[in-house]
Amino acid sequence: MLAPKKVKYRKMMKGRRRGTAWRGSALAFGEFGLQATDRGWLTAREIEAARIALTRHIKRGGRVWVRIFPDKPLTKKPAETRMGKGKGSPEAWVAVIKPGRMLFEMEGVAREVGHEALRLAAQKLSIPTQVRERGGVPRAA
């Protein structure tokens, strides 16, 4: 599971997810990519599940890049706990996703295999995405 080795502060504020992604919005490494079309938080479990689905479909062929990292701690108070007594303890790690952010990239596989692998990976994520191709038109995933 992806998680930071060390952080400056254990807990973080929720924040606002306004605007679009300017950094990390273009294909930088691979031939095909999975781009977010909406905003949200992706947990480390979701990212790992999508990565596994992607690599299983391409059967060790090609190369995959994960362009996001969960560096925001998500806190939760225990069940049946009264209000107050401070903020809950960190439970999971999430990546903040804005529209336009490139989530995964891959190269070295056939076009059909690449699109199908990215479609399978998109099913594991909680936000809507689209498949992007270098020098091509977007395909809905």
Side-chain angles (χ1 to χ4, degrees):
M1 218 60 74
L2 293 171
K5 286 187 183 80
K6 188 176 157 186
V7 288
K8 191 168 185 180
Y9 299 107
R10 265 181 73 228
K11 299 170 185 179
M12 203 181 275
M13 287 200 275
K14 231 176 238 154
R16 299 289 174 264
R17 295 174 294 222
R18 291 188 293 237
T20 56
W22 290 95
R23 296 170 65 125
S25 60
L27 280 168
F29 303 101
E31 215 174 314
F32 310 105
L34 193 65
Q35 189 177 38
T37 56
D38 207 353
R39 64 192 79 247
W41 285 338
L42 285 183
T43 65
R45 292 179 71 109
E46 287 178 74
I47 297 166
E48 186 65 12
R51 187 194 63 79
I52 289 168
L54 195 65
T55 53
R56 279 210 180 127
H57 188 75
I58 60 173
K59 297 187 179 81
R60 295 198 319 259
R63 191 159 174 209
V64 175
W65 288 271
V66 181
R67 296 279 310 270
I68 51 175
F69 188 80
D71 56 353
K72 183 185 184 75
L74 201 66
T75 62
K76 192 176 178 187
K77 288 178 83 72
E80 299 180 12
T81 305
R82 292 186 177 189
M83 291 292 102
K85 305 246 189 312
K87 193 175 170 109
S89 56
E91 292 292 314
W93 293 93
V94 296
V96 179
I97 307 297
K98 289 183 178 181
R101 179 70 192 209
M102 200 61 69
L103 308 175
F104 296 95
E105 289 188 33
M106 62 188 305
E107 71 172 9
V109 292
R111 187 174 188 269
E112 295 76 32
V113 176
H115 281 278
E116 181 61 19
L118 288 168
R119 188 190 67 79
L120 291 171
Q123 289 180 339
K124 308 290 181 193
L125 305 175
S126 60
I127 58 171
T129 57
Q130 66 181 358
V131 176
R132 300 296 297 221
E133 198 173 324
R134 194 176 288 282
V137 293
R139 270 183 57 174

